[in-house]
Amino acid sequence: MPDARDLPALDLCAQEPIRIPGGIQPHGALLLVDEADFSVLQFSANVDEVLPGLVVETAGRKILNPDGFDALCDELKAWLKRPSDTFERLISNNGIRHHVSAQRTPQGLMLEFERASATGGNEAHYARLRRFVDNADSFEGTQALAEAVAGEVRDLTSFNRVMIYRFDEQWNGTVIAEDGDGTLPSYLDLRFPATDIPAQARELYLQNRIRLIPSASYEPVPLVPPFSPVDGQPTDLGSSALRSVSPIHLEYMRNMGTAASMSISLIVDGKLWGLISCHNATPLHVTPAVRNAAEFLGRIVSQHIAGFDRISESRQRLAFKQIETELIAYVSRASSFQQGLVERPRQWLGITNALGASVITDDMVLATGTVPPSKAMRELAEWLHDQRLDGPFATDNLAAVWPGGSAVSDVASGLVAVPISSLHPSFIMWFRPEVIRTVNWGGDPKKPSVSEIDMRIHPRKSFETWKENVRDHSAPWSKAEVQSAAEFRNAVVNFVLKRAEERAELTEELKRSNKELESFSYSISHDLRAPFRHILGYAQLLEEEEEELKSISRHYLAGISNAALSAGQLVDDLLRFSQLGRASLNMSSIDMQKVAGEVRRSFDSIGEDRKIEWRIGTLPDGFGDAALVRQAIYNLADNAVKYTRDRDPAIIEIEGHEDGESTIYTVRDNGVGFDMAYGGKLFQVFQRLHHIEDFEGTGIGLALTKRIIDRHGGSIRAEGKLNEGASFSFTLPKPKKGRQQA
């Protein structure tokens, strides 16, 4: 256990045992009794002063007096059979009325006694509360309600000053409304640090909705015995209305010039939203009946605040949903969801009322509005990815949570981010710039007073306004704005998944169609080979048998033969094209220098009327199916020979070089070339950029070449210029270690 001197001053206050103070305030008395026989386990030392004769001793033990308080004992016995409701009664002793409350605790049945007013006054309180409830629907929002309830509570309780105190996300409190008679100074709009009301004190405000301190100078009344006989532990008085409060808090009150106080909890959706804080310059006791009315009023106010919050949030969420619907409808028609966002900046920013937004994926950063530099957004995405988020991330002080936040605070002090991938640092982000504002503190929140003698924290003595400029903060994000970002993220993810499923389904359909087309092409090509050969053969036989044919008839036969020959060549090319999708590759190292030489020699049969200058460079070895790669080189060379027919000389170059993990081979010519605007058609089946009358061919050669290179995992591209030649380059990946065949 560390020594108290080693603890920070604020921790000393937070660790104070406020639930087990060992005593109560002197304006009432407390008993802890055994439920079975009402024998007294513990009692406050002032019990005889508050209620003479309440406790008697018999047979060596103290019990609740059955003679003078027999009716109370009977009511307690009946209540213990069904203790779900609250036990509160008024009893009279020697003509003096007392309020009695009871509650069950692990250390015994806790009874609290407190003097009540001579007349109950419940009817007047009921009329007041009913009037307030009737008027509550006329309030237009939380601020108007707070101002009204401050005046209502002051009229009800007669305190000099009543404040409505609201907590923020960091538990700092701000006085948002106040009603006073001028006796005490105004604290309206002042802000008080979270350390004024530590966490354990806030927990008690949740447990007990009302707390009264009639005098800041009271002397605590001890419990007798000091420890519980049930478990030997200090008695837990956390639920007691008479619980003695922290000496630090009493000192705090005196430093404020406050002699009496009362606090009423405002609890919204199970969370402490704020307090109705009442102060008086002189001691003031508020009767249980008035306290009950004030506590009930606090419940009414809490419900109305919750209602205002829900109405406001619902309106915001409806507006955001309309924006989301409009944006998703557009995104679904865009080429990609990222592009759709950029093309609708107003709706994208409107999803969270931001001034800047970005979408970050592995391959791009797109943004609109005022955003940090791309490098900073990438780094922010990496940091967010490391946080393993499963929902939206929101902050109005990015510099406090991310190391790079200060550098971009002018444009991105506020951030809402939603992940769109669990594997990669991909996010949609919204940004808000820094809003420099002045906060009026009720004293310097950074300078608690600590005694050098006892090392105990002392509340500040000055409650004068202390101003602080708050930097690196944006306007805060509302719950509806953060929820809107989360719902938009879900819509985007669902849209992307749906688009991916549609593409996968389309891909499968295309695979099936391609397979069917390949089978069809193979069958047709195979079945047509024989008929065209027969046509060609019979035409040749007819020409040989009929020597007396007219010249025009022989011309017709020559046309039949040429057509059959061309058709046969087309069928052979189609057959090879369809077989490429069905056959496996026999991968090995290829001597490309040798292949180029063989291709070059295959054109030696061209007549002497053609002058072709072949320029074959030093070619590095390739890796692939030797027969198919040779076919690819041949097709490109044949293409070059064909389209340089009108050149003298025709120049055809074949060269190659290594480039990282690939080897690149190029076939270049000085032929007719082509317009690059139509280059996309070059590698499609039956697509031509020149008339068939000008250049013969089936229109399959380049498509066949591309398919060969695709099967090898390479790529092919073409460059050309009309009447200045063309260049075709393809890549073959180098073999991976241990790779032999595919």
Side-chain angles (χ1 to χ4, degrees), residues 356-424:
S358 67
V359 56
I360 299 161
T361 57
D362 281 346
D363 55 347
M364 69 176 69
V365 175
L366 296 178
T368 189
T370 306
V371 299
S374 294
K375 183 175 182 293
M377 289 191 289
R378 282 280 189 199
E379 293 172 353
L380 177 57
E382 292 286 350
W383 179 81
L384 289 168
H385 184 62
D386 292 340
Q387 309 308 305
R388 298 291 185 263
L389 303 175
D390 57 359
F393 174 88
T395 179
D396 62 357
N397 185 10
L398 183 59
V401 294
W402 179 50
S406 296
V408 297
S409 63
D410 57 331
V411 296
S413 285
L415 167 71
V416 171
V418 290
I420 53 177
S421 171
S422 59
L423 301 178
H424 307 287

Side-chain angles (χ1 to χ4, degrees), residues 386-667:
D386 292 340
Q387 309 308 305
R388 298 291 185 263
L389 303 175
D390 57 359
F393 174 88
T395 179
D396 62 357
N397 185 10
L398 183 59
V401 294
W402 179 50
S406 296
V408 297
S409 63
D410 57 331
V411 296
S413 285
L415 167 71
V416 171
V418 290
I420 53 177
S421 171
S422 59
L423 301 178
H424 307 287
S426 300
F427 291 86
I428 301 176
M429 300 181 185
W430 290 268
F431 302 100
R432 281 180 179 169
E434 178 184 42
V435 177
I436 303 174
R437 61 187 186 274
T438 299
V439 173
N440 293 325
W441 293 93
D444 189 343
K446 300 177 182 177
K447 296 181 180 179
S449 175
V450 182
S451 168
E452 295 181 358
I453 299 175
D454 56 12
M455 291 302 292
R456 182 174 68 82
I457 183 171
H458 292 272
R460 59 181 177 273
K461 292 181 171 60
S462 173
F463 287 82
E464 295 297 323
T465 301
W466 186 86
K467 294 185 178 181
E468 176 189 31
N469 282 329
V470 179
R471 305 190 66 94
D472 292 338
H473 283 73
S474 72
W477 305 96
S478 71
K479 186 187 299 183
E481 289 165 341
V482 177
Q483 184 65 29
S484 174
E487 292 178 357
F488 180 69
R489 178 254 183 194
N490 293 336
V492 168
V493 170
N494 290 339
F495 165 72
V496 171
L497 289 175
K498 183 179 179 181
R499 181 71 65 87
E501 290 174 354
E502 291 173 350
R503 288 177 175 171
E505 184 177 349
L506 180 60
T507 300
E508 289 299 319
E509 185 63 32
L510 287 173
K511 286 181 179 178
R512 287 193 296 271
S513 299
N514 286 339
K515 191 172 183 180
E516 292 172 0
L517 284 173
E518 286 178 0
S519 299
F520 176 76
S521 299
Y522 180 82
S523 300
I524 293 297
S525 302
H526 186 273
D527 294 345
L528 286 178
R529 294 178 76 188
F532 284 128
R533 287 176 179 174
H534 290 161
I535 292 171
L536 179 60
Y538 284 128
Q540 291 174 345
L541 289 174
L542 182 59
E543 186 178 12
E544 292 174 0
E545 290 293 329
E546 299 295 334
E547 297 179 357
E548 301 299 328
L549 284 175
K550 297 178 181 179
S551 59
I552 189 65
S553 298
R554 291 187 181 278
H555 176 72
Y556 292 155
L557 284 175
I560 292 173
S561 297
N562 289 335
L565 187 62
S566 296
Q569 183 63 46
L570 175 61
V571 167
D572 287 343
D573 287 347
L574 279 173
L575 189 61
R576 283 195 294 270
F577 188 80
S578 62
Q579 286 175 331
L580 263 178
R582 304 160 66 91
S584 60
L585 303 183
N586 295 316
M587 306 294 284
S588 62
S589 179
I590 306 172
D591 186 343
M592 295 297 287
Q593 201 73 46
K594 179 180 178 182
V595 169
E598 292 173 351
V599 169
R600 180 241 179 277
R601 287 190 293 274
S602 65
F603 293 98
D604 286 346
S605 58
I606 295 177
E608 294 182 359
D609 57 324
R610 289 289 310 274
K611 185 177 180 181
I612 301 177
E613 182 180 329
W614 293 87
R615 299 177 181 176
I616 301 178
T618 301
L619 304 180
D621 289 348
F623 184 79
D625 186 301
L628 292 179
V629 172
R630 184 187 185 283
Q631 181 70 51
I633 291 285
Y634 177 85
N635 289 350
L636 295 178
D638 183 55
N639 203 62
V641 169
K642 182 194 307 181
Y643 290 104
T644 56
R645 185 176 61 194
D646 298 331
R647 297 295 188 264
D648 186 18
I651 300 175
I652 301 174
E653 303 176 58
I654 303 177
E655 60 185 27
H657 66 277
E658 294 182 348
D659 183 20
E661 297 300 316
S662 301
T663 309
I664 302 176
Y665 301 97
T666 302
V667 177

Side-chain angles (χ1 to χ4, degrees), residues 50-61:
V50 175
L51 264 175
L54 176 63
V55 176
V56 296
E57 187 168 342
T58 178
R61 63 191 184 97

Side-chain angles (χ1 to χ4, degrees), residues 148-418:
V149 77
E152 188 71 21
V153 171
R154 200 174 77 79
D155 289 344
L156 176 66
T157 61
S158 300
F159 276 96
N160 295 136
R161 179 180 61 206
V162 175
M163 303 180 297
I164 310 301
Y165 186 88
R166 180 175 186 174
F167 293 109
D168 63 14
E169 292 298 323
Q170 289 74 43
W171 296 109
N172 300 309
T174 302
V175 180
I176 65 171
E178 181 182 87
D179 190 274
D181 60 7
T183 303
L184 294 173
S186 173
Y187 285 167
L188 184 62
D189 294 330
L190 289 190
R191 197 177 191 191
F192 295 83
T195 51
D196 279 11
I197 305 178
Q200 58 173 346
R202 296 194 296 268
E203 291 175 6
L204 288 180
Y205 280 123
L206 280 173
Q207 184 174 345
N208 289 334
R209 287 178 175 261
I210 192 163
R211 185 193 65 177
L212 172 68
I213 305 175
S215 173
S217 302
Y218 75 85
E219 290 294 330
V221 178
L223 295 183
V224 181
F227 294 94
S228 170
V230 174
D231 55 18
Q233 299 297 314
T235 304
D236 187 343
L237 297 177
S239 59
S240 168
L242 297 172
R243 172 181 60 86
S244 183
V245 299
S246 161
I248 295 177
H249 182 74
L250 295 177
E251 186 176 348
Y252 184 94
M253 288 176 59
R254 292 192 292 269
N255 290 346
M256 290 180 72
T258 302
S261 73
M262 186 173 76
S263 298
I264 306 162
S265 302
L266 298 176
I267 300 173
V268 176
D269 295 332
K271 181 180 179 181
L272 187 62
W273 182 92
L275 298 171
I276 303 175
S277 187
C278 311
H279 296 150
N280 211 62
T282 58
L284 176 65
H285 180 263
V286 180
T287 65
V290 174
R291 295 208 306 270
N292 286 343
E295 191 264 350
F296 187 68
L297 188 60
R299 290 178 182 269
I300 295 172
V301 171
S302 297
Q303 290 177 356
H304 275 77
I305 291 173
F308 288 139
D309 288 350
R310 291 191 183 97
I311 290 172
S312 176
E313 184 178 343
S314 296
R315 288 173 178 169
Q316 288 186 61
R317 291 183 66 175
L318 179 60
F320 289 138
K321 182 58 69 174
Q322 291 174 339
I323 295 173
E324 176 194 318
T325 301
E326 181 181 347
L327 184 54
I328 287 295
Y330 183 83
V331 166
S332 64
R333 298 190 298 270
S335 58
S336 67
F337 85 88
Q338 298 99 319
Q339 196 62 37
L341 294 177
V342 173
E343 291 171 358
R344 283 294 184 271
R346 181 179 62 82
Q347 291 87 344
W348 188 10
L349 295 174
I351 288 291
T352 62
N353 290 326
L355 294 184
S358 67
V359 56
I360 299 161
T361 57
D362 281 346
D363 55 347
M364 69 176 69
V365 175
L366 296 178
T368 189
T370 306
V371 299
S374 294
K375 183 175 182 293
M377 289 191 289
R378 282 280 189 199
E379 293 172 353
L380 177 57
E382 292 286 350
W383 179 81
L384 289 168
H385 184 62
D386 292 340
Q387 309 308 305
R388 298 291 185 263
L389 303 175
D390 57 359
F393 174 88
T395 179
D396 62 357
N397 185 10
L398 183 59
V401 294
W402 179 50
S406 296
V408 297
S409 63
D410 57 331
V411 296
S413 285
L415 167 71
V416 171
V418 290

Side-chain angles (χ1 to χ4, degrees), residues 644-716:
T644 56
R645 185 176 61 194
D646 298 331
R647 297 295 188 264
D648 186 18
I651 300 175
I652 301 174
E653 303 176 58
I654 303 177
E655 60 185 27
H657 66 277
E658 294 182 348
D659 183 20
E661 297 300 316
S662 301
T663 309
I664 302 176
Y665 301 97
T666 302
V667 177
R668 188 180 298 107
D669 64 67
N670 66 336
V672 297
F674 61 88
D675 188 342
M676 285 293 290
Y678 304 100
K681 296 183 177 181
L682 281 173
F683 299 105
Q684 299 177 20
V685 179
F686 303 132
Q687 292 293 326
R688 294 172 170 273
L689 301 186
H690 303 279
H691 296 295
I692 190 171
E693 297 85 0
D694 298 332
F695 298 97
E696 71 283 354
T698 62
I700 296 179
L702 289 179
L704 182 64
T705 301
K706 184 178 186 305
R707 195 163 210 191
I708 290 172
I709 302 306
D710 287 345
R711 286 293 310 276
H712 283 78
S715 61
I716 186 170

